[in-house]
Amino acid sequence: MNNWPIPEFTKSQVSKAGETLINPTSPLQQVMAFRILNNWRSCHGYPINTFQSTLRKKLVAIGVPKAIVAQRLKRTPSIIRKLKRFKHMQLSRMQDIGGLRAVVRNLEQLRALESNYAKSRFEHFFVSKDDYILSPKKSGYRGVHIIYKYRNKKVPVYDGLLLELQIRTDLQHAWATAVETIDTFLEFSLKASEGPRRWLKFFALVGSAFAHLEETTPVPEYGHLSKRETFLEVVQAAKGLGVRHKLSAFSIVANHILTDEKTSSYHYHLIELNPAEKTVSLRSFGRDQVELANEEYSKKEQRILKGEKLQIVLVSAGNIETLKRAYPNYFLDTKNFVQRLDEIETLVGKL
């Protein structure tokens, strides 16, 4: 673990930095707060990397070795928005700075993986679980989130860091991708249940329709609707908002790759999406370049904080094809979502 960053600040200093980020008192304090944030975030790299290895072994154990696996460090703008949105949130206690995701084909595989984790006997401390499939969010979001507190006797310097594991089906992933793509181009915050009522209603309805497709609990606000009624409202809302046209208009030129070699030879990828130009650039780093990757991540984020309309994230997800499947919103790929809308429209006439 020679190249992995380690915590340089106490949790109280980290929490204080979070307060400064949302209420800066001076430029000097703000610079220091960003330094603390960058160190705190990058320290989640080693724990999340070990969790990814465990996740892949578990997927093999349940018979789905080709499931999508990806990890990411939470973006600074997202961290600041979350600190502002939740008054009592402390940076040192934020549970999803280090995030790990598994996207499986169906609910049977999702529950098998969830069960495997529940039976695990590892050092890490289980903190909590949110089952947004049994109890969908009002936004329409569905999936399972499990929070762990990291423990490792061999590397105790990271003990206590919180990590979030998200488990989604392909259908649930398609929904989340479409929401994030619309947010990017129309500059909404639908993911945080903020934005125009018509769009919020549309995605809540789609979430409920997708729940019907998976034969699970519909979104509470639309639980009174039958499957056919839900599907019909989705079809009408999609036409009224011009959803298909908008999503097809967000096609992207994804040819600007900054690395000359195949991404499979790298471990970390810094994705930069420019919505105005509809381009994405990718810079990749080897396993031993984690510190450089974090430095470049921080540099690019400073451009966003100065007003540039960019989306940047540092992830680990294998080769370029896996990367696109794990983070299709960064490549503006919503084909799966549109195909599901077509499926719903077809089913309306059969119910």
Side-chain angles (χ1 to χ4, degrees):
M1 55 159 290
N2 292 340
N3 296 304
W4 295 99
I6 62 173
E8 297 175 10
F9 305 94
T10 65
K11 287 188 177 181
S12 61
Q13 288 176 309
V14 172
S15 293
K16 183 64 177 176
E19 295 171 11
T20 302
L21 288 172
I22 58 175
N23 293 301
T25 54
S26 73
L28 187 61
Q29 284 189 326
Q30 191 173 28
V31 169
M32 187 61 188
F34 277 115
R35 181 188 163 195
I36 294 173
L37 167 60
N38 289 334
N39 172 254
W40 181 249
R41 179 177 62 181
S42 63
C43 287
H44 289 72
Y46 182 84
I48 203 109
N49 198 58
T50 60
F51 255 71
Q52 181 181 156
S53 177
T54 300
L55 172 57
R56 291 185 184 280
K57 290 176 183 176
K58 289 182 177 297
L59 287 166
V60 170
I62 65 170
V64 285
K66 294 185 178 180
I68 298 172
V69 173
Q71 65 188 55
R72 67 98 183 98
L73 296 176
K74 196 174 185 71
R75 295 177 295 151
T76 294
S78 298
I79 291 173
I80 293 175
R81 280 197 298 270
K82 192 166 187 177
L83 289 170
K84 289 180 177 177
R85 199 162 74 244
F86 300 102
K87 287 186 177 181
H88 302 294
M89 173 70 67
Q90 292 186 13
L91 180 57
S92 64
R93 295 182 182 177
M94 194 173 288
Q95 297 178 332
D96 61 344
I97 289 180
L100 187 65
R101 178 182 299 163
V103 181
V104 295
R105 195 164 53 251
N106 52 43
L107 275 175
E108 182 181 3
Q109 293 178 352
L110 184 149
R111 294 305 185 193
L113 181 59
E114 178 188 10
S115 176
N116 190 294
Y117 267 96
K119 296 173 183 176
S120 291
R121 292 185 177 182
F122 47 30
E123 293 180 86
H124 313 299
F125 180 74
F126 168 82
V127 176
S128 63
K129 181 177 75 172
D130 289 308
D131 190 331
Y132 297 118
I133 299 172
L134 289 178
S135 302
K137 288 188 176 185
K138 67 177 184 178
S139 64
Y141 177 84
R142 298 179 310 121
V144 172
H145 293 191
I146 309 174
I147 307 297
Y148 286 98
K149 185 178 290 186
Y150 191 77
R151 285 181 183 172
N152 189 332
K153 291 178 181 177
K154 295 180 181 178
V155 194
V157 69
Y158 300 111
D159 284 0
L161 291 182
L162 296 167
L163 305 173
E164 180 185 70
L165 168 64
Q166 295 180 0
I167 312 175
R168 299 175 181 171
T169 64
D170 184 60
L171 191 60
Q172 293 156 12
H173 192 46
W175 181 96
T177 295
V179 169
E180 291 175 358
T181 301
I182 291 292
D183 275 356
T184 294
F185 277 90
L186 301 187
E187 298 187 6
F188 297 155
S189 297
L190 303 176
K191 191 177 178 181
S193 296
E194 299 172 1
R197 171 62 186 163
R198 290 178 70 200
W199 280 102
L200 290 170
K201 181 180 179 180
F202 169 72
F203 278 109
L205 277 166
V206 174
S208 205
F210 284 6
H212 279 297
L213 289 176
E214 293 187 320
E215 299 183 349
T216 59
T217 308
V219 175
E221 189 174 351
Y222 302 104
H224 64 285
L225 298 177
S226 68
K227 180 190 288 190
R228 187 179 189 281
E229 289 169 336
T230 304
F231 287 1
L232 189 58
E233 289 216 22
V234 166
V235 171
Q236 293 171 343
K239 289 180 179 177
L241 290 167
V243 173
R244 287 180 179 81
H245 174 73
K246 283 183 171 63
L247 291 177
S248 64
F250 299 155
S251 59
I252 195 161
V253 179
N255 299 322
H256 182 38
I257 306 298
L258 299 184
T259 51
D260 296 325
E261 301 174 50
K262 293 181 179 179
T263 55
S264 58
S265 63
Y266 294 94
H267 192 71
Y268 300 98
H269 309 288
L270 191 59
I271 310 173
E272 178 182 319
L273 168 64
N274 186 322
E277 296 181 5
K278 297 181 182 177
T279 59
V280 63
S281 62
L282 180 70
R283 182 173 176 185
S284 300
F285 303 84
R287 286 180 180 272
D288 59 347
Q289 294 179 302
V290 61
E291 193 169 349
L292 176 61
N294 278 298
E295 286 176 5
E296 292 302 315
Y297 190 14
S298 299
K299 285 180 184 177
K300 286 184 176 290
E301 284 190 324
Q302 290 301 314
R303 293 163 55 192
I304 297 174
L305 296 169
K306 290 177 180 177
E308 286 194 53
K309 300 290 185 180
L310 301 172
Q311 298 239 358
I312 297 167
V313 69
L314 179 64
V315 304
S316 174
N319 61 29
I320 188 68
E321 290 307 316
T322 303
L323 201 61
K324 287 180 178 179
R325 289 168 61 209
Y327 293 94
N329 51 298
Y330 277 89
F331 294 90
L332 308 185
D333 183 358
T334 54
K335 291 192 295 292
N336 192 6
F337 181 79
V338 172
Q339 287 170 1
R340 298 296 189 166
L341 290 184
D342 292 342
E343 179 183 345
I344 287 171
E345 190 165 355
T346 301
L347 287 171
V348 167
K350 298 180 179 180
L351 293 175

